[in-house]
Amino acid sequence: MPPTPPTRILGLDPGLRRTGWGVVALDGTRLIYVDCGVVTTVQSGSLAERLLELHAGISAIIERMGPTVAAVEQTFVNKDPVATLKLGQARAIALLVPAQAGLDVAEYAPNQVKKSVVGVGHAEKEQVHAMVKVLLPQSRATSPDAADALAVAITHAHFAESNSRMQALMARAR
C-alpha cells in the first residue's frame, strides 16, 4: 500500500485590513512549515471592493498552495459593533473561499488556538508567536497575522492527529 501523502493545512486569521494565512503539512505526526503571508486590502476601497480583494487573494493562495483542508479562527466579540460586523464579513470570505474550493473547513476559538499552541488559553500574542517559531523553526512569519494563521493551522494539525487516533481506536474496538 503506497504511503499516504501529507495533509496540507491552510490556516486563516481573518481581518478586513489584513488576513493572515499559513500552510503547514502534516506527515504522520511530523509538522512541516510550507509558507505563510498576509492578504491585504486597500483601506480606501469600499467594503465590497475589500471583500473582493480578500476573495481573490485567498483563492490565489489555495490555487498556489494546494491545501487539502482549511482552518479559520473564530471571531471574538468586540466592543465596537461596526468593527465586529466588518470582521464578521471578512471571516465569511475566509470560510467561503475554501468551501468553494471543495475543502473541509474547521473553526477554532482564539483561546483554543492559544491553548493548543502555548498550553494556556489566555496566552499573550507574543507567547503564541514564540511557540510558532519553536514548533516551526523554518517559519518565515514576519507579521503577527501570518504567525496567528500558522497557529490556527498548527491547532488543526493537533486536533486532526487526535481525531485520527480516536477513529483508529474506535475501528479496532469494533
Side-chain angles (χ1 to χ4, degrees):
M1 182 151 92
T4 307
T7 300
R8 274 193 169 215
I9 304 165
L10 170 63
L12 293 168
D13 178 33
L16 188 56
R17 290 181 194 151
R18 291 176 307 279
T19 290
W21 63 272
V23 178
V24 298
L26 182 60
D27 190 7
T29 59
R30 204 172 96 215
L31 201 56
I32 305 159
Y33 168 77
V34 176
D35 203 357
C36 67
V38 179
V39 176
T40 57
T41 64
V42 178
Q43 284 185 278
S44 61
S46 70
L47 178 60
E49 291 168 334
R50 294 171 79 184
L51 292 173
L52 185 60
E53 285 180 81
L54 285 178
H55 188 285
I58 297 170
S59 294
I61 291 159
I62 290 172
E63 189 174 316
R64 190 173 86 238
M65 296 283 113
T68 52
V69 67
V72 180
E73 189 170 62
Q74 292 175 341
T75 305
F76 61 92
V77 177
N78 201 328
K79 291 179 182 174
D80 177 3
V82 173
T84 300
L85 184 59
K86 287 179 180 178
L87 177 57
Q89 292 167 328
R91 193 170 167 281
I93 297 296
L95 292 166
L96 170 72
V97 174
Q100 279 183 322
L103 303 178
D104 286 335
V105 183
E107 300 177 69
Y108 297 98
N111 285 350
Q112 194 176 13
V113 172
K114 292 174 184 178
K115 186 166 181 120
S116 176
V117 174
V118 179
V120 179
H122 294 286
E124 298 295 325
K125 272 193 174 287
E126 295 77 22
Q127 291 173 294
V128 174
H129 299 168
M131 280 307 295
V132 167
K133 281 286 191 195
V134 169
L135 295 169
L136 301 170
Q138 57 284 71
S139 160
R140 294 184 305 271
T142 56
S143 79
D145 302 298
D148 286 348
L150 285 170
V152 174
I154 291 167
T155 298
H156 187 74
H158 289 167
F159 279 89
E161 183 179 338
S162 297
N163 289 340
S164 69
R165 283 184 187 160
M166 182 62 78
Q167 288 172 352
L169 286 172
M170 295 302 285
R172 274 191 262 154
R174 291 183 193 147

